[in-house]
Every structure is written in structure tokens, then in C-alpha cells.
Amino acid sequence: MSKASLIKVVDLLSFIGLLALISTGSVLELILPAKSGAATVWGLTRHEWGDIHFYVSVIFLILLSLHLWLHIRFIKSVIVGKASREHNYRIAVGLVALLVLLLFTIAPLFSSVEDEGGRHWHTQEPRR
């Protein structure tokens, strides 16, 4: 595999990892906050989502380290001040990636939350 192909694979996997971190973090913070009881999203409890979030973050850290290592020559040229201008296609890809990132970020906010009995949280009577 050529270096350019490896960079593309690492970048794609890193982007997917970032989306997964944002989604699982949103579920943990906004949908299943602490003391949310036995509620589940897609059949997973808060602790199971936390496990997924942790392991995805470890994989993401490894991928980012690999990404930086693969781009070390570019990083050195930027520090020295000899980097060339970015191409227009990179800007377009960046904008598309940002749009997808935003969509995945808000997706958990529109997911249903269910308790052990399969009841949706928003339809339950408040506890007194």
C-alpha cells in the first residue's frame, strides 16, 4: 500500500472515529445522563455506551498519532514556513466533512430513549 493510500485510510478511519466519539458522548451527556436508571438507547445502557465511548477514544488516539506521524514532513514545513497553498478540492472535502460531522453530532438528539419495559421516556408520567 502506498503512503498516499495509507493516509487516506487513516484519515477516513479517524473521521469515523471522531463521529463515533461525538455521537456516543452526546448520548452519554444529553440522552442518558447520570442516574438515568435502566433507560436504554438502541438496547444499550449508559454504562455500555460509556464502554463504547472509551474504546473508540483509545482507537481514535492511536489513529491520530499515526496521522501526525504520516504528515510529519508537512508539519515540519509549516513550522519552518515553507508549506504550499491548499488545493480547492481539499476545501470542498473539508466542507462536506463538516456537514456530515454536524449531522452525526445531532443524530442522537433525535433518537428514542426506552426503559426496561420498552416504554419511551418522553411518554412516561413524571415520578413524584
Side-chain angles (χ1 to χ4, degrees):
M1 177 180 285
S2 69
K3 184 176 179 179
S5 296
L6 181 60
I7 287 172
K8 288 178 184 177
V9 169
V10 169
D11 288 353
L12 177 63
L13 292 175
S14 296
F15 180 68
I16 292 169
L18 177 63
L19 295 178
L21 280 175
I22 291 170
S23 294
T24 58
S26 297
V27 167
L28 289 169
E29 184 65 24
L30 303 172
I31 308 296
L32 295 173
K35 299 183 182 179
S36 57
T40 63
V41 173
W42 300 333
L44 299 174
T45 66
R46 176 176 171 73
H47 293 288
E48 292 167 330
W49 279 106
D51 290 342
I52 292 169
H53 187 74
F54 173 75
Y55 291 116
V56 169
S57 67
V58 170
I59 293 167
F60 183 67
L61 180 63
I62 292 167
L63 288 168
L64 282 183
S65 299
L66 182 57
H67 173 87
L68 291 173
W69 180 73
L70 290 169
H71 288 85
I72 195 69
R73 287 181 55 201
F74 174 74
I75 293 168
K76 287 178 183 178
S77 68
V78 168
I79 292 170
V80 177
K82 296 181 181 179
S84 63
R85 292 184 172 248
E86 296 292 327
H87 298 287
N88 288 337
Y89 78 92
R90 288 189 182 191
I91 294 171
V93 169
L95 291 174
V96 169
L98 179 62
L99 177 63
V100 171
L101 176 68
L102 291 173
L103 290 173
F104 273 100
T105 301
I106 64 170
L109 300 175
F110 299 103
S111 296
S112 64
V113 179
E114 300 174 357
D115 66 7
E116 288 177 325
R119 294 180 304 248
H120 295 278
W121 259 23
H122 65 277
T123 60
Q124 293 180 21
E125 293 291 323
R127 293 186 181 178
R128 295 184 184 181

